[in-house]
Structure formats: C-alpha cells, structure tokens
Amino acid sequence: MNKFKINIQGMTCTGCEEHVAVVLENVGAKNIEASFRRGEAVFELPDNIGVESAKKAIDKAKYQPGEIEEIQSEEKMVLGDEGDYDLLIIGSGGAAFSAAIKSVEYGAKVAMIERGTVGGTCVNIGCVPSKTLLRAGEINHLAKVNPFIGLQTSAGEVKLAPLVKQKDELVSELRKQKYVNLIDEYGFDLIDGEAKFVDVNTVEVNGKKLSAKRFLIATGASPSLPPISGLEEVDYLTSTTLLELKKVPKRLTVIGSGYIGMELGQLFHNLGSEVTLMQRSERLLKEYDPEISEAIEKALIEQGINLVKGATFERVEQEGQIKKVHVTVDGKEKVVESEQLLVATGRRPNTDTLNLSAAGVEVGNRKEILINDYARTSNEKIYAAGDVTLGPQFVYVAAYEGGIVSDNAIGGLNKKLDLSVVPGVTFTNPSIATVGLTEEQAKEQGYEVKTSVLPLDAVPRAIVNRETTGVFKLVADANTLKVLGVHIVSENAGEVIYAATLAVKFGLTVEDLKESLAPYLTMAEGLKLAALTFDKDVSKLSCCAG
Ligand SMILES: Cc1cc2nc3c(=O)[nH]c(=O)nc-3n(C[C@H](O)[C@H](O)[C@H](O)COP(=O)(O)OP(=O)(O)OC[C@H]3O[C@@H](n4cnc5c(N)ncnc54)[C@H](O)[C@@H]3O)c2cc1C
C-alpha cells in the first residue's frame, strides 16, 4: 500500500467528508480520513492503483483536488524485543512527559533521564512560579493604585521571603501532582543523571550505557548571556535566580524586554521596585504589530516603568552592591544604576553536553536541534521536541511536539507537526495575546490584507474597569474575509485569545465573528467589535454591539 495526502477545495461540511470518502473507496482506497476543516484527505492505495485515478474521481464528484503528497510510511515499532528501552527520553519537562505518557499508552517500555529537577522549566522555574508571583504583584499594585473613587486601600512593604516560600510550596505541590506521581502511575523509569550520546544507538548516564530503539531529546533551553563587556564579572540575575530573591530591591534594571523581561520587570515594579527595562531595539516587541508595541509601551509608561530603547550596551560594572549599565542612546552616553540586574535576553538550547556529533544529530547555527516536519532529527532513530529545537517557546508547544514524537516514533503514524496557528500570551497587565499572522507577515505571504484596529476605550468591559489603554487588531484576507491574525493588548487578553485561535485555525471569517453573539461586558466582546469595525464606526453603536 502507498499512503497519500491530497488537498481538496470545496468540502464544506461532514457530509462532504463522507461523500469524498465514498468516492475514494470506490477507486480502491483504504483507511480514508477526509477533513473539510483541513481541506484534505489522507488515504492508502494498493500498489497497482495510481493516485491520479483518485484525483480524477474527486474532480468528477465536483470537488477541486489540488497538491498530492506521498506520505512515507514508517513501520509501527515492534515493542520490547531488543535494547534496554523502546523509547529513551533525555529531559523531564513538558515535552518529555507528554511523549512518555503517550508511549506507555502504546505499550512501549520508556525511561526518562533528568540531570536537574523533575518537571523541567515550566513547573519549577518558569510558568508556574512566575505566574503565581505575577498575581501577587497585581494584587499589591491594585491595593496601592486603583481607578475607583471612594475605595480606601493601601499596601505595606512587601515581605518577599514568605511570598517566595509560598510560591515554592505551590511549585513543589504541582511538581508532585503533575509530574513525579505520574511516573509510577504510568509506569516508566526515571534515571537521575546527565545523559550524553556515545554512538548512534547508545546513551551514557552515570557511567552506564543504555540502548534504545528510539530516542527523544527534550533537554529544553537555559538563559543566554548577551556579549556585553563586564557582564560576567557582576552579580547579575536570570529569570531563575530573580524568582528566588528574598528582598524586593530598591531598583531593578532589566536587560532585554522580550516577554520574560517584561513580565518579571512589571512583577517587581508591582512589588515596589523602581524598574528600568532596557533593550537594543527601537520598538518594544518589534516582531509584533506596531499597534501592539505602541499600546503596551503606553501602558508600561503610564504605570511608571522606565524604558530605555535603542540602546547600545557599552559595558556593565559593579561598585559595592550597585550594578551600573553603561549605554549609548541617540549618541548620548547614559548610566543606569540599580541594586539588582536581571538579564533576560533570550534562551539557548541545552545541547552542549549531549555529544550530538557521536549520534549524527545535526544542529543549527544557534546550536538548536534541527528537526523535520515529523520531529525527527538527522538520525532517523532520534527525535527532538520542545525548547531545544528553538521553536515557539511555550510549554503547550513542547507537550504537543512530545505527543507527535510518540505517535511517530512508537505508533508509526507519520504525523506532521502543525505549528501554523500558535497562540502566545505575555502575562503583563494589560496582557498581550496574539495568534496567527501579523499584518506584515500576511502581506509577505501574498495576501491582500484588510485590518481593523479597535482602541480599547471602545470596549465596554475596559470602560467599566476604567482601564482603557490597549487595542484589538484583526488581520483578514481582503478577498475571503478569513481571519488571519488577532492581536490584543487588554486585561485578560490571554483568556480572549483562545476564541481567536479557533477562528484562525478553522478559517472563520469576519462575518462569522460579526454574526456570533458575544456576552456583554466581557473582554472577548472586543473581538466582535473589532470585526464590526471593518465597516462601521463602533462608537456609534448602542450597547451590546447592536
Ligand atoms: C520565566 C519563564 C516563564 C515562562 N512562562 C511560560 C508561560 O506562562 N506559559 C508557557 O507556555 N511557557 C512559559 N515558559 C516557557 C516554558 O517553560 C518552556 O517552553 C517549556 O517548559 C519547555 O519545555 P521542554 O520540555 O522543552 O524543556 P524543559 O522543561 O526545559 O525540560 C528540559 C529538562 O532537560 C534537562 N536536561 C537538559 N540537558 C540534560 C542532559 N544532558 N541530561 C539529562 N537532563 C537534561 C533539564 O534539566 C530540564 O529539566 C516560561 C519560561 C520561563 C523561563
């Protein structure tokens, strides 16, 4: 049998899927999966039937067949007959656990090797500790400053040590529930130690050699240091060590204002530090739509966070406890001093100690592991997933990729990674959430683009909250009005973006958004209002976008 995927235009419902399946069955196809949402059908044909006959039959049934791709079938693995393991995973974060659980469900014998703390970045030093402290920071900020008249609130000095202890307890509880306990629950081995390859089939850990039929590298990434003179000689902090501080610093400088720098900078501003965010680029979040950068910049400045953009970093030095960052901005020299300095300029893949050349695994110019559409590396027995590949650095992406690895490496399913629609959230306040294409990306991809930009002061939820700095931006294909991208700066933007993700993923149009009811006085109503903004002045609408 040969396996094919064919793109098909014109299927609009599950009835069409069934019709296409019958048509393909009639030419002799087996294991047919037609999807009107993805606009494709995947099926197998016996060797003696040409794929052109399938194409003709689809055409005759009044659908429009397009590109055909032959899918290389991988044999489903014979489990457990040789080697120490069916799947040996290096790392124990989101990618690793998702792959391990699914592989055990396939019946595979699995082991995981971890050199640090089980659970990896997200639960221990990333998502969980940062988000719980961000919430504490928000509450402290609201106690000090709120937009309502007549409320009498106040905030005392923040005692960081007990707050950090409470955070550590939560981390430890979630690590136990969501990671450690699952090891016995599912029944795989955890090996404590650092792994490195010794050849294409073998990994060494604690001096012991282990073989496996397949491997998954899920070793994540670590904070990277920018090449700034003197930086290595000062007591700088990373996202990990900042979250362990026991005292709120009087002043905090943050080098790098990507999502981690911005979140942690705002956290310490809310806890009482005077915060300066510094970056090389002239624009915050320069890869986002300009309206997003403008809105978040305005919000941060309104809150009293200092921004230094377009900085050339000359050197860093320390005098006593004070760290001094020397920069040139617009040709003028400037020195920013603070008690603590956070470096948040990106993350580098953890590949240095893996001895990848012994395994024939190729890396890119940032030492990230190169994978193909099936998450396979240049060694066909070795897969990689999560941050170590330098794809979108989110735990749900890592977990999704880990699941695909299991389907392909153990299940033999040849599933392609689909990262065409990945939502991203920055948990500042207001938060930033985006999905799909920016206006510039859509134009680069050849779309004729129509956009709508709705300032947050047109969204009723923001008006009643009395926090109106922000924006909703929709990017649509001007011809089909399909929603290509949604970009938001607002309170709870992260909660709104899931609906937008469904709209982009399943090809909803601006009309679909306009015609769907949106609950009044939710931030998500902004999506509908932004859709209406394409051809109406929303300031002239009555309540409920009627
Ligand atoms: C401050 C911060 C906040 C974040 N907030 C969010 C958020 O809100 N939402 C979100 O989706 N994502 C967030 N992220 C990103 C998210 O944490 C990562 O994308 C995700 O954890 C990556 O998972 P992973 O499985 O690829 O790797 P990791 O979870 O990093 O796991 C890799 C593991 O491999 C181990 N390892 C490395 N080399 C070896 C070796 N040679 N031998 C044995 N073990 C090895 C490491 O010790 C580590 O435990 C945040 C990250 C940070 C730093």
Side-chain angles (χ1 to χ4, degrees):
M1 296 291 261
N2 302 309
K3 194 168 182 180
F4 298 95
K5 183 171 96 178
I6 184 162
N7 290 335
I8 305 173
Q9 298 253 312
M11 290 192 288
T12 54
C13 58
T14 49
C16 299
E17 290 173 350
E18 282 161 25
H19 187 191
V20 165
V22 171
V23 165
L24 287 170
E25 209 170 62
N26 289 343
V27 292
K30 303 264 182 286
N31 297 323
I32 305 157
E33 275 181 46
S35 164
F36 82 89
R37 290 199 169 88
R38 291 197 299 274
E40 66 180 35
V42 177
F43 52 93
E44 289 177 354
L45 281 177
D47 295 346
N48 61 345
I49 302 177
V51 70
E52 282 306 315
S53 58
K55 194 171 179 179
K56 273 193 200 132
I58 292 168
D59 190 42
K60 212 166 153 205
K62 302 269 184 282
Y63 300 99
Q64 297 85 54
E67 207 182 305
I68 301 174
E69 183 192 335
E70 181 162 3
I71 299 175
Q72 295 306 318
S73 284
E74 188 174 324
E75 289 294 299
K76 194 166 177 206
M77 186 191 287
V78 180
L79 297 168
D81 62 342
E82 59 180 42
D84 296 313
Y85 293 99
D86 296 312
L87 181 67
L88 189 51
I89 302 172
I90 310 178
S92 72
F97 264 79
S98 146
I101 289 171
K102 212 171 200 185
S103 299
V104 167
E105 285 169 350
Y106 275 118
K109 187 174 178 212
V110 177
M112 206 181 258
I113 307 169
E114 173 57 59
R115 69 177 178 190
T117 313
V118 175
T121 301
C122 184
V123 71
N124 293 306
I125 52 170
C127 329
V128 172
S130 63
K131 264 81 252 181
T132 189
L133 288 178
L134 276 163
R135 177 71 178 148
E138 262 170 49
I139 290 173
N140 193 51
H141 171 74
L142 281 174
K144 287 193 285 189
V145 187
N146 81 70
F148 292 93
I149 298 171
L151 292 185
Q152 299 200 15
T153 59
S154 63
E157 192 189 333
V158 171
K159 293 194 171 72
L160 194 55
L163 197 56
V164 165
K165 184 169 174 277
Q166 189 192 32
K167 174 267 293 181
D168 288 342
E169 283 162 8
L170 179 75
V171 163
S172 160
E173 185 52 37
L174 286 179
R175 177 170 58 235
K176 211 166 110 199
Q177 269 180 30
K178 300 289 171 194
Y179 297 87
V180 177
N181 288 355
L182 299 184
I183 298 173
D184 282 346
E185 180 82 22
Y186 285 90
F188 52 87
D189 294 344
L190 175 72
I191 300 161
D192 188 7
E194 186 168 76
K196 69 170 188 192
F197 284 93
V198 287
D199 60 40
V200 289
N201 296 311
T202 320
V203 151
E204 187 179 294
V205 54
N206 305 327
K208 192 175 169 202
K209 294 195 171 54
L210 294 169
S211 64
K213 295 197 195 85
R214 298 280 187 276
F215 296 87
L216 165 60
I217 304 171
T219 50
S222 307
S224 67
L225 267 198
I228 303 174
S229 167
L231 186 56
E232 289 189 39
E233 279 82 62
V234 307
D235 299 326
Y236 64 85
L237 300 166
T238 63
S239 59
T240 308
T241 48
L242 181 82
L243 296 174
E244 292 305 321
L245 284 183
K246 300 291 183 297
K247 197 167 166 279
V248 177
K250 188 165 166 285
R251 292 168 296 177
L252 171 72
T253 305
V254 183
I255 300 183
S257 33
Y259 90 90
I260 293 179
M262 234 185 236
E263 284 182 3
L264 298 181
Q266 194 185 50
L267 162 64
F268 275 81
H269 166 78
N270 287 345
L271 295 178
S273 301
E274 182 188 335
V275 172
T276 305
L277 297 180
M278 308 183 81
Q279 64 167 39
R280 282 204 171 93
S281 168
E282 293 288 348
R283 161 150 97 80
L284 280 185
L285 301 173
K286 67 175 182 329
E287 65 285 6
Y288 287 27
D289 274 279
E291 291 85 352
I292 298 302
S293 307
E294 278 161 31
I296 191 65
E297 176 167 337
K298 184 164 181 266
L300 296 178
I301 291 173
E302 280 171 358
Q303 290 167 19
I305 293 175
N306 305 315
L307 293 183
V308 178
K309 299 178 295 169
T312 306
F313 290 90
E314 306 295 353
R315 68 196 160 89
V316 177
E317 61 179 343
Q318 182 163 345
E319 263 180 41
Q321 289 309 303
I322 305 299
K323 286 90 189 169
K324 298 183 178 182
V325 183
H326 295 257
V327 287
T328 310
V329 184
D330 293 334
K332 291 192 194 103
E333 285 179 20
K334 193 176 161 79
V335 186
V336 177
E337 297 187 2
S338 58
E339 284 68 27
Q340 295 290 4
L341 172 67
L342 167 67
V343 179
T345 47
R347 295 175 62 80
R348 60 182 173 77
N350 293 330
T351 50
D352 284 350
T353 58
L354 286 168
N355 196 22
L356 291 172
S357 56
V361 172
E362 283 173 17
V363 294
N365 54 13
R366 295 167 66 197
K367 299 205 180 158
E368 76 281 17
I369 297 186
L370 300 175
I371 51 171
N372 67 10
D373 288 348
Y374 303 91
R376 202 180 294 133
T377 69
S378 48
N379 176 336
E380 60 171 22
K381 288 185 175 170
I382 303 180
Y383 292 74
D387 283 7
V388 74
T389 65
L390 288 191
Q393 308 255 303
F394 300 115
V395 71
Y396 42 92
V397 172
Y400 161 75
E401 291 181 346
I404 295 280
V405 166
S406 172
D407 284 336
N408 292 344
I410 308 296
L413 291 185
N414 284 296
K415 276 196 185 167
K416 267 192 177 179
L417 291 169
D418 179 3
L419 293 177
S420 53
V421 184
V422 178
V425 180
T426 302
F427 292 86
T428 43
N429 197 358
S431 36
I432 307 160
T434 77
V435 67
L437 303 178
T438 62
E439 183 174 353
E440 194 180 321
Q441 286 168 340
K443 285 179 180 159
E444 276 167 13
Q445 291 191 16
Y447 286 101
E448 200 184 315
V449 173
K450 220 175 156 189
T451 63
S452 95
V453 177
L454 181 78
L456 202 61
D457 60 12
V459 179
R461 178 76 251 175
I463 299 170
V464 300
N465 284 2
R466 300 181 179 276
E467 285 175 351
T468 52
T469 303
V471 70
F472 274 70
K473 177 168 181 176
L474 298 190
V475 178
D477 176 344
N479 296 315
T480 61
L481 286 184
K482 273 193 181 167
V483 182
L484 302 173
V486 178
H487 311 278
I488 308 168
V489 177
S490 79
E491 195 194 22
N492 288 334
E495 314 296 330
V496 177
I497 208 67
Y498 190 59
T501 303
L502 296 177
V504 175
K505 183 165 169 104
F506 295 108
L508 296 191
T509 63
V510 170
E511 291 305 314
D512 292 326
L513 294 187
K514 281 189 202 167
E515 284 167 14
S516 304
L517 289 175
Y520 183 54
L521 287 182
T522 61
M523 205 57 87
E525 193 191 6
L527 283 179
K528 176 171 178 157
L529 291 168
L532 287 164
T533 305
F534 275 99
D535 42 31
K536 246 187 192 166
D537 177 355
V538 284
S539 67
K540 304 226 165 68
L541 296 174
S542 173
C543 110
C544 327

